[in-house]
């Protein structure tokens, strides 16, 4: 009888804990949407609000799970040297082309060429996103400008929205533990390695009430602890939510070259799908479960989760997708890989169309087998506080290389399946 009572008490405790996590995550989600000017469900709007998201941030209730084992390697294949390298330009995000959103039916030929790649004419229409030149200039300003105001914002309660002396703003991330700031930061530099320009610029700062940068808000940073390392990410206004496109939903057959409806998409719709293909590859490599993967997981109890905005994904008025809040990537994502890997694999298998540049960089990282070294060098060259924050363990650097190899194998599989189309 005592054993039964103990089990009943444990069950009630877990239920109560899950309820607390749910309420907390919903409040965080509402605060973030309010700060970004997004509609809050139930708050009144000219548009009918969607049903409350029952799955909001489900991963927050699953932080204390066993460490993941390193996945088995798929073996090494020879890859063509497809990447266009420049002096220290391996991580250059591209040119400064900017394009307004395109509407209307596509009349410029097939959206896919060479079997599995988005066509060059679509690449020419894609906005440049956050270029390396813009990111470099922003990082320099963020590291030196005085902060004159801190206020709630940017999702988690421990984060703050900072206003600099010149009026620009940044999200300041202080993680519950160092893994979150480290994951956010290293994920940003993985995107740079791949040439993915959808992440806002990021820089690190070390808290100190005695520094000129933090002096005006020293009373607000006491909660964080002196000398803590935090991250700045550029604040982007006028963003809207993004719903998972139909080809990537569970009931669909996936995003692949044989999908007949691709020819009936507008240019703007195709450009968004192109960015989704980068997002899926990127989240797979970093094992980020707090975006499409968490939605897939939540289908178990919420059949309409794919019909609502995707976690941590927003859109600019021009149509650029913005990948935000990447703290679940790499460090924590690798630690809980056993729990989420089947969902990562499901999402990756739903996509067989790729950007050529992303494929070239994955091929090069697979061929050289030095992803960890390249990431570490880029990180340390770009971030003065890299040694303070730390880097991936040798084990996790190996996991990252394994995932590069697995993604490369998936691209080869798609090429074999659709290469003759």
């Amino acid at each position: 009888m005592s054993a039964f009572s103990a089990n009943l008490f444990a069950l009630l405790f877990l239920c109560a804990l899950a309820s607390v996590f749910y309420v907390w995550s919903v409040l965080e989600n509402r605060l973030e949407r309010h700060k970004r000017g997004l509609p809050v469900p139930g708050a009144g709007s000219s548009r009918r609000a969607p049903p409350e998201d029952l799955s909001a941030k489900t991963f927050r209730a699953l932080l204390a799970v066993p460490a993941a084992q390193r996945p088995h390697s798929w073996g090494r294949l020879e890859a063509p040297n497809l990447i266009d390298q420049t002096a220290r330009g391996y991580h250059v995000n591209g040119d400064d082309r900017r394009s307004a959103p395109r509407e209307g039916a596509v009349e410029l030929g097939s959206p896919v060429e060479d079997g599995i790649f988005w066509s060059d004419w679509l690449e020419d229409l894609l906005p440049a996103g956050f270029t390396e030149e813009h990111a470099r200039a922003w990082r320099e300003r963020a590291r030196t400008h005085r902060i004159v105001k801190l206020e709630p914002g940017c999702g988690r309660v421990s984060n703050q929205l900072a206003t600099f002396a010149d009026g620009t703003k940044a999200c300041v991330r202080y993680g519950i533990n160092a893994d979150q700031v480290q994951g956010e930061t290293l994920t940003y530099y993985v995107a740079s390695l791949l040439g993915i320009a959808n992440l806002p610029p990021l820089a690190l700062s070390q808290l100190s009430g005695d520094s000129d940068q933090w002096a005006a808000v020293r009373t607000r940073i006491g909660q964080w602890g002196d000398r803590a390392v935090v991250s700045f990410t550029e604040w982007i206004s006028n963003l809207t939510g993004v719903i998972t496109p139909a080809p990537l939903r569970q009931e669909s057959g996936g995003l692949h070259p044989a999908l007949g409806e691709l020819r009936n998409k507008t240019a703007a719709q195709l450009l968004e799908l192109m960015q989704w293909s980068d997002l899926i590859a990127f989240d797979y490599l970093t094992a980020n479960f707090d975006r499409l993967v968490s939605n897939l997981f939540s289908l178990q109890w919420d059949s309409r989760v794919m019909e609502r905005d995707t976690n941590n994904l927003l859109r600019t008025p021009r149509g650029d997708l913005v990948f935000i809040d990447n703290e679940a990537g790499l460090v924590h994502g690798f630690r809980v890989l056993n729990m989420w890997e089947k969902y990562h694999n499901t999402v990756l298998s739903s996509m067989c169309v790729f950007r050529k540049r992303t494929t070239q960089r994955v091929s090069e990282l697979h061929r050289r087998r030095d992803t960890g070294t390249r990431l570490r060098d880029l990180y340390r060259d770009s971030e003065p506080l890299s040694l303070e924050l730390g880097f991936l363990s040798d084990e996790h650097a190996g996991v990252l290389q394994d995932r590069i190899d697995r993604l490369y194998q998936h691209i080869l599989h798609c090429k074999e399946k659709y290469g003759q189309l």
Side-chain angles (χ1 to χ4, degrees), residues 153 271 310 398:
L271 291 174
T310 305

Side-chain angles (χ1 to χ4, degrees), residues 17-18 29 74 95 115 121 123 127 136 158 183 205 208 223 226 237 264 272 281 375 394 412:
L17 184 62
N29 185 50
W74 285 41
D95 58 34
W121 66 266
E123 291 280 358
R136 188 182 300 113
S158 61
S205 179
S208 174
Q223 58 177 321
D226 197 43
S237 60
N264 298 321
E272 181 162 314
L375 177 61
D394 290 343
L412 285 186

Side-chain angles (χ1 to χ4, degrees), residues 77 195 244 246 291 332:
L77 295 179
T244 304
R291 208 154 10 226
H332 188 62

Side-chain angles (χ1 to χ4, degrees), residues 93 129-131 134-135 183-192 196-202 233-234 236 279 282-283 286 291 321-326:
N93 286 335
F130 301 100
T131 65
H134 168 78
E184 177 91 13
T185 303
L186 295 177
T187 295
Y188 173 79
Y189 286 107
V190 169
S192 294
I196 294 175
N198 298 81
L199 282 69
L202 177 146
T233 51
E234 183 179 9
I236 311 297
L279 175 65
F282 177 60
D283 279 354
T286 60
R291 208 154 10 226
L321 296 187
V322 183
F323 309 167
I324 64 168
D325 294 352
N326 297 289

Side-chain angles (χ1 to χ4, degrees), residues 55-331:
S55 64
K57 307 286 186 183
T58 55
F59 87 95
R60 302 198 192 285
L62 300 168
L63 293 176
V65 299
Q69 297 177 355
R70 177 174 170 178
H72 297 294
S73 171
W74 285 41
R76 179 178 179 181
L77 295 179
E78 285 300 315
N81 184 12
L82 299 176
I83 195 165
D84 179 19
Q85 298 188 57
T86 59
R88 297 218 55 79
Y90 184 77
H91 56 281
V92 170
N93 286 335
D95 58 34
D96 289 318
R97 288 193 306 268
R98 296 281 181 171
S99 302
R102 266 66 172 181
E103 295 295 343
V106 174
E107 299 179 353
L108 297 176
S110 172
V112 179
E113 63 188 32
D114 298 333
I116 61 170
F117 300 113
W118 294 109
S119 294
D120 287 342
W121 66 266
L122 269 176
E123 291 280 358
D124 290 340
L125 295 179
L126 189 68
F130 301 100
T131 65
E132 179 61 24
E133 292 76 14
H134 168 78
R136 188 182 300 113
W138 185 89
R139 287 196 296 266
E140 290 301 315
R141 293 196 304 271
R143 289 171 182 147
T144 57
H145 280 32
R146 289 186 305 108
I147 298 171
V148 297
K149 183 180 180 181
L150 285 176
E151 58 187 315
C154 303
R156 190 184 297 278
V157 173
S158 61
N159 300 336
Q160 295 279 283
L161 178 63
T163 301
F164 293 106
D166 64 355
T168 60
K169 297 183 177 183
C171 285
V172 185
R173 181 176 303 281
Y174 174 82
I176 293 176
N177 54 59
D179 287 359
Q180 292 172 324
V181 176
Q182 191 180 77
E184 177 91 13
T185 303
L186 295 177
T187 295
Y188 173 79
Y189 286 107
V190 169
S192 294
L193 277 181
L194 296 172
I196 294 175
N198 298 81
L199 282 69
L202 177 146
L204 297 179
S205 179
Q206 192 163 37
L207 298 176
S208 174
D210 296 329
S211 70
D212 290 340
Q213 183 169 43
W214 294 97
V217 292
R218 64 164 57 92
T219 58
R220 295 294 305 272
I221 64 176
Q223 58 177 321
W224 287 336
D226 197 43
R227 311 304 295 172
V229 176
V230 298
S231 66
F232 291 134
T233 51
E234 183 179 9
W235 171 263
I236 311 297
S237 60
N238 299 321
L239 300 177
T240 55
V242 182
I243 297 174
T244 304
L248 295 173
R249 297 183 190 177
Q250 183 73 358
E251 67 273 13
S252 302
L255 179 58
H256 54 78
L259 193 63
E261 64 185 64
L262 283 181
R263 292 181 175 272
N264 298 321
K265 299 286 187 184
T266 66
Q269 290 171 329
L270 289 170
L271 291 174
E272 181 162 314
L273 286 173
M274 183 189 301
Q275 294 174 84
W276 270 94
S277 68
D278 262 356
L279 175 65
I280 289 174
F282 177 60
D283 279 354
Y284 177 81
L285 290 178
T286 60
N288 188 340
F289 51 83
D290 195 22
R291 208 154 10 226
L292 189 56
V293 163
S294 66
N295 282 359
L296 184 62
F297 174 78
S298 299
L299 281 171
Q300 300 172 81
W301 54 75
D302 183 3
S303 61
R304 302 188 63 184
V305 65
M306 293 291 188
E307 300 172 23
R308 291 188 283 277
D309 291 347
T310 305
N311 285 345
N312 301 325
L313 182 65
L314 297 169
R315 183 193 294 110
T316 71
R318 283 188 327 194
D320 307 58
L321 296 187
V322 183
F323 309 167
I324 64 168
D325 294 352
N326 297 289
E327 63 184 28
L330 292 178
V331 185

